[in-house]
């Protein structure tokens, strides 16, 4: 079993890129931000990795720096608000429409079998960023969950910078 496990991990490592979260956490560009990271993206702060694929008058779409899956994006209002109930009527409409359009574009680029769409409110929900944001995560039937058990770490098949390159042009179509 151990040999098979090692062989499997070896085979997958040839094709998959395991993201080392520590690599990003140690990245000074993202660590030196004192203000909210989403506000820093909005303000085009040079200290952060640029993964923004779209912005309009009220909202921004960015690749998640710590993606759960390839194509994992976040949609957030430019205004720093921390609760979905603080969105005004116009923002609510744009948020909804931008979510639909993002799903279309992710489907075109990644062909996923499904999506997780979600907002975490408050620390107890797992939110690590206070600034309101909606996650969209493409999901697949054949995700490599068992690798988690075999290797003790999750393996991702795409760097966020790759997702950025793939989606930047697509979002020009909005
Ligand atoms: Zn903010």
């Amino acid at each position: 079993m151990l040999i098979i496990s090692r062989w499997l991990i070896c085979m997958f490592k040839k094709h998959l890129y395991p993201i080392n979260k520590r690599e990003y956490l140690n990245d000074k560009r993202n660590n030196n931000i004192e203000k909210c990271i989403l506000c820093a993206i909005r303000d085009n702060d040079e200290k952060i990795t640029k993964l923004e694929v779209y912005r309009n008058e009220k909202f921004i779409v960015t690749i998640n720096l710590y993606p759960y899956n390839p194509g994992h994006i976040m949609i957030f209002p430019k205004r720093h608000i921390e609760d979905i109930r603080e969105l005004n009527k116009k923002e609510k409409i744009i948020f909804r429409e931008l979510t639909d359009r993002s799903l279309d574009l992710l489907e075109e680029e990644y062909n996923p079998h499904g999506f997780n769409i979600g907002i975490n409110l408050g620390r107890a929900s797992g939110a690590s960023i206070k600034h309101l944001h909606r996650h969209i995560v493409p999901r697949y039937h054949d995700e490599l969950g068992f690798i988690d058990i075999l290797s003790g770490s999750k393996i991702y098949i795409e760097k966020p910078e790759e997702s950025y390159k793939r989606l930047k042009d697509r979002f020009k179509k909005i």
Side-chain angles (χ1 to χ4, degrees):
M1 181 60 192
L2 189 64
I3 291 166
I4 294 170
S5 302
R6 281 190 181 147
W7 175 80
L8 268 173
I9 291 165
C10 184
M11 284 305 288
F12 280 114
K13 276 184 176 168
K14 277 185 186 168
H15 303 288
L16 306 180
Y17 176 81
I19 283 192
N20 183 349
K21 194 164 181 175
R22 192 176 297 271
E23 179 185 312
Y24 284 103
L25 290 174
N26 289 337
D27 187 336
K28 294 276 187 292
R29 283 175 303 176
N30 299 308
N31 252 0
N32 285 344
I33 301 293
E34 281 167 19
K35 65 180 170 186
C36 161
I37 187 130
L38 298 187
C39 286
I41 291 172
R42 178 199 63 208
D43 299 341
N44 292 312
D45 195 313
E46 288 177 1
K47 291 190 206 117
I48 54 163
T49 308
K50 188 164 171 55
L51 295 171
E52 173 188 323
V53 291
Y54 175 79
R55 77 164 62 196
N56 63 25
E57 180 199 349
K58 301 278 184 196
F59 284 84
I60 292 171
V61 182
T62 183
I63 306 297
N64 194 324
L65 189 56
Y66 309 110
Y68 182 80
N69 257 354
H72 179 173
I73 60 168
M74 296 194 298
I75 304 173
F76 62 95
K78 285 182 176 172
R79 279 197 310 133
H80 183 107
I81 52 175
E82 300 183 2
D83 191 305
I84 194 165
R85 290 163 289 190
E86 293 174 62
L87 289 168
N88 62 39
K89 277 190 179 154
K90 189 177 179 187
E91 287 169 330
K92 280 180 185 169
I93 292 167
I94 297 174
F95 205 9
R96 173 64 202 272
E97 286 174 350
L98 195 51
T99 300
D100 286 3
R101 201 65 194 105
S102 298
L103 290 169
D104 289 342
L105 296 173
L106 286 169
E107 219 158 50
E108 280 177 32
E109 181 64 33
Y110 287 96
N111 258 317
H113 303 122
F115 291 100
N116 286 120
I117 303 171
I119 294 171
N120 298 326
L121 286 187
R123 284 196 80 82
S125 73
S128 53
I129 300 170
K130 283 183 178 175
H131 191 134
L132 178 68
H133 58 284
R134 173 176 284 155
H135 292 271
I136 301 185
V137 185
R139 301 301 303 264
Y140 302 87
H141 293 314
D142 54 352
E143 282 176 20
L144 304 169
F146 69 98
I147 285 287
D148 298 357
I149 300 160
L150 289 179
S151 67
S153 65
K154 178 144 177 77
I155 288 182
Y156 301 84
I157 58 174
E158 189 169 82
K159 286 184 180 185
E161 288 85 353
E162 273 307 308
S163 307
Y164 170 74
K165 279 185 208 153
R166 288 179 67 171
L167 289 173
K168 186 90 178 92
D169 287 340
R170 288 222 180 253
F171 271 85
K172 285 180 184 156
K173 290 201 276 181
I174 288 185

